[in-house]
Amino acid sequence: MKINPRVSEKIAKGLIWSAALSVLAVLVGIIIFILAKGLPIINWSFLTEIPRNMGRSGGVASPIVGTLFVAAVAVVLAVPFGIGTAFYLAEYTRENAVTRIIRFSAESLAGIPSIVYGLFGFIFFVIYLDLGWSVLSGGLTLAFMILPTVIRTSEEAIRAVPDTYREVSFSLGGTKWQTIRKAVFPSAIQGITNGVILGLGRCVAETAAVILTAGTALRMPASIFSPTRTMAIHFFILAREGISMDNAYGTAALLIILIFFINVVANALVNRFVAKGR
């Protein structure tokens, strides 16, 4: 039985829309559930007090600071290397054995489970380099984790820039570096930023790798060499041990709000940068 092309087109479009709406409904449902449970817990004391009594009381001030410290160390270390590698692969080399090895390595790193990164960070940074459980150990481990994401997304964004931009720059006497800085980078910055945001979101939400390298200390970290507990770890411990589900929901709601805030601020900064470039 032959189906009319218009009918098959409508059926396919309906299935695609159904799949997209189903995913959106699940996402919205999870967010609404967590926010409904967690928002009533959030108040000024919850945001400014250090957890007490293993997290049964107090707030999440030290996990918030620990999350920001660990994520900042990871991003500061991973983003320059990731973007630099992406520009090297996209602009300075042709397809050869070296580029294939680099891409294969990045793809392989992206597929490694986070617990394996945590074990590596624990053995190498915590024990071998004697950094101990610290913000620095956790940040270094997360930097290795998000590096493949930054490389691949940045490279795709750079390759998506039309070649005419480069040709015009070269025809006006621009050097390779001037072309990259003035023509390629401003056009690819939105895609590059998306990759950085994905990596940052993974840093904020990671548990397995961080719990083995940054530790679970409840006190406020004094420096990058101090142990700390991130919000994701705090939520995991509170929920797994059944210490305080109310505080666990509050911490989860804060995580959602933090990730949303990071996305909004990053996109606003990128749009402002692009508008100035025009």
Side-chain angles (χ1 to χ4, degrees):
M1 179 179 178
K2 188 176 181 179
I3 302 177
N4 187 289
R6 291 184 178 180
V7 175
S8 62
E9 178 72 16
K10 290 181 179 179
I11 293 173
K13 188 179 293 186
L15 292 173
I16 292 171
W17 271 101
S18 299
L21 292 175
S22 298
V23 173
L24 181 62
V26 171
L27 175 62
V28 172
I30 293 173
I31 293 175
I32 291 175
F33 175 78
I34 293 175
L35 292 180
K37 294 277 191 178
L39 286 179
I41 310 299
I42 300 174
N43 52 41
W44 183 248
S45 62
F46 186 75
L47 295 174
T48 56
E49 293 181 3
I50 295 176
R52 299 189 303 272
N53 193 20
M54 299 298 294
R56 291 182 177 86
S57 58
V60 290
S62 55
I64 291 174
V65 174
T67 301
L68 296 177
F69 274 20
V70 173
V73 170
V75 170
V76 167
L77 293 174
V79 169
F81 286 102
I83 296 177
T85 302
F87 272 107
Y88 171 76
L89 292 173
E91 298 292 330
Y92 285 98
T93 63
R94 296 181 178 179
E95 190 65 25
N96 54 42
V98 175
T99 59
R100 286 194 293 270
I101 291 172
I102 294 174
R103 289 195 185 93
F104 176 77
S105 300
E107 292 169 358
S108 299
L109 286 172
I112 296 176
S114 59
I115 190 65
V116 177
Y117 279 104
L119 183 60
F120 163 77
F122 176 72
I123 294 172
F124 187 68
F125 298 122
V126 176
I127 298 178
Y128 183 74
L129 296 183
D130 199 24
L131 296 176
W133 286 298
S134 62
V135 172
L136 183 58
S137 296
L140 286 169
T141 304
L142 289 179
F144 279 98
M145 285 185 61
I146 68 173
L147 189 60
T149 302
V150 176
I151 292 174
R152 295 302 292 157
T153 54
S154 298
E155 185 184 0
E156 293 301 323
I158 294 166
R159 291 187 180 277
V161 176
D163 288 334
T164 52
Y165 288 25
R166 301 173 178 84
E167 293 169 359
V168 170
S169 177
F170 291 143
S171 67
L172 294 174
T175 63
K176 185 72 171 179
W177 172 242
Q178 289 174 328
T179 300
I180 291 174
R181 187 164 56 91
K182 296 291 186 178
V184 178
F185 182 72
S187 301
I189 189 171
Q190 287 185 315
I192 292 172
T193 303
N194 290 335
V196 174
I197 292 174
L198 287 173
L200 184 57
R202 188 174 185 185
C203 291
V204 171
E206 183 57 44
T207 55
V210 182
I211 200 171
L212 291 174
T213 53
T216 60
L218 288 174
R219 62 180 180 272
M220 190 72 71
S223 69
I224 61 173
F225 299 102
S226 302
T228 190
R229 175 185 291 195
T230 64
M231 294 171 64
I233 294 174
H234 189 59
F235 163 75
F236 171 72
I237 292 176
L238 292 180
R240 185 193 63 178
E241 302 294 338
I243 296 172
S244 174
M245 289 306 299
D246 288 340
N247 286 347
Y249 280 123
T251 305
L254 272 179
L255 273 173
I256 292 175
I257 294 171
L258 177 61
I259 293 173
F260 177 77
F261 177 77
I262 290 171
N263 278 271
V264 170
V265 171
N267 282 290
L269 291 175
V270 169
N271 291 334
R272 187 175 180 181
F273 178 84
V274 173
K276 283 186 176 181
R278 294 173 182 173

